[in-house]
Amino acid sequence: MAADPTATARRADVTAAAHGAPAAGRAELRYLIGRVLPFLVIVLATLADALTSPQERFDRFLIAAPALAAATWSARGTAAIGGLTMGVTAALTVVRGDDLFPALLAGQVVLGVVVLAAAVSSHARQRREAELRQISAVAEAAQSAVMRPLPPRLGTVDLRLLYEASAACAHVGGDFCKALQVRDGVRIMLGDVQGKGLPAVEAASLLLGSFREAAYTAPDLPAIARRLEESMARYAERAPRSEAADRFSTVLLAEIPDDRPVIRLLSCGHPAPVVQRDGTVETVEFSSPSVPVHLPVPVDLPFTVEEVPFGPGDRLLMFTDGVSETRDRDGAFYPLEQRLRAWADEPADRIPGLLGDDLARFGARGLVDDTTALLVVRDGPAGGRLPPQPLAAARS
């Protein structure tokens, strides 16, 4: 993880340096090639026409120049390149000694029509790009409201957040995360709303608002989970036609008390977190995971809390399915536990950055889903360390 949690919370700059920057560089290179290509066509067609016999007529390729310009140049720029093309065509006709009428006139009329069509196409492209920029700005603002930077430290724990948008960047996602310091410790929520787009962001914002209210007053994690369920149910009653009202969410709740070396976890259909302790890495085993929040199937099951040892120096990695469901070209899932064992001696600040970098290389198509991972590090007094025991040994 980068040392600046604020920057990494928004776009995981360490990861962006590994795979986002090269992608941007390639896009810029393609854009520059598109800008130069019309002039290259004009130069090559002119040279070929001048250096070959009059019967070859390479000037016919000049008509491609304004059409290519429409892809990257403005409407005025496209028209200017079209005008240059018409001038070069006329000059080549004169040099060859062809009849100015009707051959040149007919060719210029046809070329003028192509230039006009290319300029109109360029103008339409510019309008679409402007609309997409506005939509992207709105989506970015909505996503930023959900994935706000976390403080680097709360109570007795350090927090390191990695968030990376999907490689496609076609939709904003429904990943969300929040950590709050309450009277006796720290409470954390990390989750993922079904689907993508603004409805997913809306559902995530509802859950975040509910968590912010419940975290300070709820007596335990099951009470918070019930508040999340009630908030989504009330919203569905108030706005039954909203797409957000139809979305369910997987949620992982965590509670780290200040006075005990433990962490309490409650999973509502969310991937189980991984604990790293003294060089060992284990996935937390939930005896009875709860169903996702606002699942459109009535299920009346109790919320089960797992209490596992979590003393000074221990680390817990919470993540969304952007991590757990990343596959390589052979269809194999990302070996998270294996990677964390290899990084056992790495500073905590580096783990999320290493994870994002490695995921981008491992995935067959890069990051195809939003990727969120929160590393929680116990780095403070916690009333002593519990003796070693299996992760699922203590339950409430």
Side-chain angles (χ1 to χ4, degrees):
M1 184 70 170
D4 181 0
T6 301
T8 52
R10 296 199 61 185
R11 275 291 179 270
D13 290 343
V14 173
T15 308
H19 57 277
R26 289 192 296 270
E28 183 178 354
L29 178 61
R30 288 193 296 267
Y31 176 76
L32 291 175
I33 292 175
R35 300 275 287 186
V36 173
L37 197 55
F39 298 101
L40 186 62
V41 169
I42 293 174
V43 171
L44 293 179
T46 301
L47 290 175
D49 195 79
L51 298 176
T52 58
S53 63
Q55 291 78 17
E56 297 296 334
R57 298 299 303 273
F58 283 95
D59 62 326
R60 293 190 177 96
F61 290 98
L62 290 170
I63 199 171
L68 291 171
T72 53
W73 287 85
S74 65
R76 290 184 178 181
T78 300
I81 292 174
L84 175 62
T85 304
M86 295 176 72
V88 172
T89 302
L92 290 174
T93 302
V94 172
V95 169
R96 280 196 308 269
D98 293 343
D99 295 334
L100 298 183
F101 182 83
L104 177 59
L105 180 59
Q108 292 291 78
V109 169
V110 172
L111 189 53
V113 172
V114 173
V115 171
L116 178 61
V120 171
S121 298
S122 176
H123 179 68
R125 173 184 57 79
Q126 287 183 294
R127 290 187 60 182
R128 287 196 300 271
E129 289 177 349
E131 292 173 355
L132 287 174
R133 283 193 295 269
Q134 292 177 350
I135 294 172
S136 297
V138 172
E140 183 83 13
Q143 189 76 72
S144 298
V146 173
M147 293 300 297
R148 295 185 64 83
L150 294 180
R153 184 176 180 86
L154 284 177
T156 63
V157 297
D158 293 334
L159 304 173
R160 299 292 182 264
L161 176 66
L162 167 71
Y163 173 71
E164 186 67 23
S166 63
C169 294
H171 301 282
V172 290
D175 288 7
F176 56 93
C177 183
K178 188 67 178 177
L180 297 171
Q181 184 173 8
V182 296
R183 184 180 59 182
D184 299 322
V186 175
R187 285 176 170 175
I188 303 170
M189 178 176 71
L190 184 141
D192 185 8
V193 178
Q194 168 208 12
K196 294 182 179 295
L198 292 179
V201 175
E202 182 180 0
S205 66
L206 289 168
L207 291 169
L208 286 170
S210 179
F211 175 75
R212 279 192 292 265
E213 293 180 1
Y216 293 106
T217 58
D220 51 27
L221 295 183
I224 296 177
R226 283 189 289 270
R227 291 279 291 274
L228 298 177
E229 189 71 47
E230 292 168 0
S231 296
M232 291 300 297
R234 286 197 301 268
Y235 179 77
E237 292 177 358
R238 294 196 309 269
R241 296 184 180 180
S242 171
E243 291 187 45
D246 296 330
R247 305 295 177 96
F248 66 85
S249 308
T250 65
V251 173
L252 180 63
L253 297 172
E255 182 179 68
I256 305 105
D258 291 335
D259 58 349
R260 294 193 61 210
V262 298
I263 184 169
R264 303 182 186 105
L265 299 163
L266 190 157
S267 173
C268 296
H270 198 81
V274 177
V275 173
Q276 187 181 49
R277 178 191 305 114
D278 297 331
T280 65
V281 176
E282 294 182 78
T283 298
V284 176
E285 296 183 5
F286 288 92
S287 60
S288 179
S290 304
V291 297
V293 175
H294 200 49
L295 191 70
V297 177
V299 179
D300 187 14
L301 294 176
F303 293 106
T304 302
V305 176
E306 305 292 341
E307 184 177 279
V308 300
F310 196 62
D314 293 348
R315 305 172 179 176
L316 179 128
L317 185 69
M318 308 166 67
F319 51 88
T320 60
D321 57 9
V323 175
S324 58
E325 295 185 3
T326 296
R327 297 174 181 248
D328 63 11
R329 290 179 175 81
D330 298 326
F333 287 105
Y334 182 73
L336 180 60
E337 286 193 23
Q338 176 184 333
R339 295 295 198 269
L340 290 179
R341 290 190 188 97
W343 299 332
D345 296 329
E346 294 286 349
D349 284 348
R350 294 197 61 202
I351 297 299
L354 291 170
L355 176 61
D357 189 2
D358 195 48
L359 282 167
R361 289 195 302 264
F362 183 86
R365 294 178 295 162
L367 298 176
V368 297
D369 197 0
D370 292 337
T371 301
T372 304
L374 176 63
L375 186 69
V376 183
V377 184
R378 191 65 179 258
D379 188 26
R385 177 183 286 274
L386 293 178
Q389 54 184 301
L391 290 181
R395 298 192 176 100
S396 60

